[in-house]
Amino acid sequence: MKKRDVLKAFLALSVAPAAFAAAYDDFFTAIKRDDTSALLLLHLRGFDLNTLDPNGQHALYLALRDGAERVAAYLLNQPDVKVEYRNAKDESPLMMAALKGRLALAKKLIEREAEVNKPGWAPLHYAATNPGEGSVAMVDLLLEHHAYIDAQSPNGSTPLMMAALYGHARVVKLLLDSGADPLLKNEQGLTAIDFARRASRDAVAATIAAAVRAQQPAGRW
């Protein structure tokens, strides 16, 4: 079916509940398929781009989570789309962009004043968790926009701890060079070195240990 025929058929829909239900399904299918054409048709019809899915997830969050980058970019270009909607786990679109390494989209979110800092789990925690090479640029971006480097999760874990357990070795080095405190402990009494050792990441543990030693005052004979 040609685009003009799709448009005619869509505009012929009434506002009956059945039509809305169909549009609702089409909306989340468009996100899953990264289909900006279908999303545009829905938007022209007046469909609310902030509509939540049955699990309470915002469209922008879903697009970032599922790799629908064209749809995410489209949504971010619409001024009525909320960039700071939080789900039941208090996750924001920026947190998902940070976790998935969507650097260009993270920059756009920050331009639209998405919160870089927040209580509990923060975007920097999520960025530090990503093991990919691109996580270095993401962490650097967040730090440039004043992300709190020793942000504490609900159990007291810091971005450095998350990087030590899951993240890229260069992120560990970047956080340490940027002033992350390697001596902090979470509620279980674990330090970043403990996190690295739990994951059998001996080289990462050694990097953190070297940073700890560098903080110690030089002794005198």
Side-chain angles (χ1 to χ4, degrees), residues 54-136:
N55 296 316
Q57 303 286 18
H58 191 277
L60 180 56
Y61 175 92
L62 291 172
L64 291 162
R65 186 194 69 186
D66 297 339
E69 296 195 32
R70 292 190 297 273
V71 163
Y74 177 85
L75 292 170
L76 279 170
N77 282 326
Q78 311 312 311
D80 54 327
V81 169
K82 299 174 182 177
V83 300
E84 197 50 41
Y85 185 87
R86 311 273 181 82
N87 64 16
K89 295 182 179 179
D90 201 36
E91 294 173 318
S92 68
L94 181 56
M95 292 169 72
M96 188 50 57
L99 178 64
K100 296 293 186 175
R102 318 286 186 200
L103 186 64
L105 295 170
K107 289 179 179 179
K108 183 66 176 180
L109 280 160
I110 293 172
E111 286 174 9
R112 288 204 52 192
E113 300 184 354
E115 295 290 341
V116 172
N117 292 300
K118 59 183 283 296
W121 293 107
L124 190 58
H125 286 102
Y126 278 41
T129 301
N130 185 342
E133 184 77 24
S135 60
V136 180

Side-chain angles (χ1 to χ4, degrees), residues 62-220:
L62 291 172
L64 291 162
R65 186 194 69 186
D66 297 339
E69 296 195 32
R70 292 190 297 273
V71 163
Y74 177 85
L75 292 170
L76 279 170
N77 282 326
Q78 311 312 311
D80 54 327
V81 169
K82 299 174 182 177
V83 300
E84 197 50 41
Y85 185 87
R86 311 273 181 82
N87 64 16
K89 295 182 179 179
D90 201 36
E91 294 173 318
S92 68
L94 181 56
M95 292 169 72
M96 188 50 57
L99 178 64
K100 296 293 186 175
R102 318 286 186 200
L103 186 64
L105 295 170
K107 289 179 179 179
K108 183 66 176 180
L109 280 160
I110 293 172
E111 286 174 9
R112 288 204 52 192
E113 300 184 354
E115 295 290 341
V116 172
N117 292 300
K118 59 183 283 296
W121 293 107
L124 190 58
H125 286 102
Y126 278 41
T129 301
N130 185 342
E133 184 77 24
S135 60
V136 180
M138 184 67 73
V139 168
D140 194 44
L141 172 70
L142 294 172
L143 292 176
E144 285 179 1
H145 286 85
H146 313 294
Y148 179 46
I149 200 165
D150 288 325
Q152 294 187 326
S153 74
N155 70 359
S157 295
T158 66
L160 179 60
M161 294 173 192
M162 303 310 296
L165 184 61
Y166 300 112
H168 198 284
R170 285 180 57 203
V171 167
V172 172
K173 183 71 162 55
L174 174 59
L175 289 169
L176 289 168
D177 289 347
S178 301
D181 188 345
L183 296 173
L184 290 176
K185 297 181 180 181
N186 68 3
E187 289 181 355
Q188 287 72 46
L190 301 174
T191 67
I193 291 177
D194 295 322
F195 273 74
R197 288 174 176 162
R198 281 192 165 193
S200 299
R201 304 183 73 187
D202 295 339
V204 169
T207 297
I208 301 169
V212 171
R213 288 194 298 272
Q215 289 187 2
Q216 306 305 315
R220 293 185 180 179

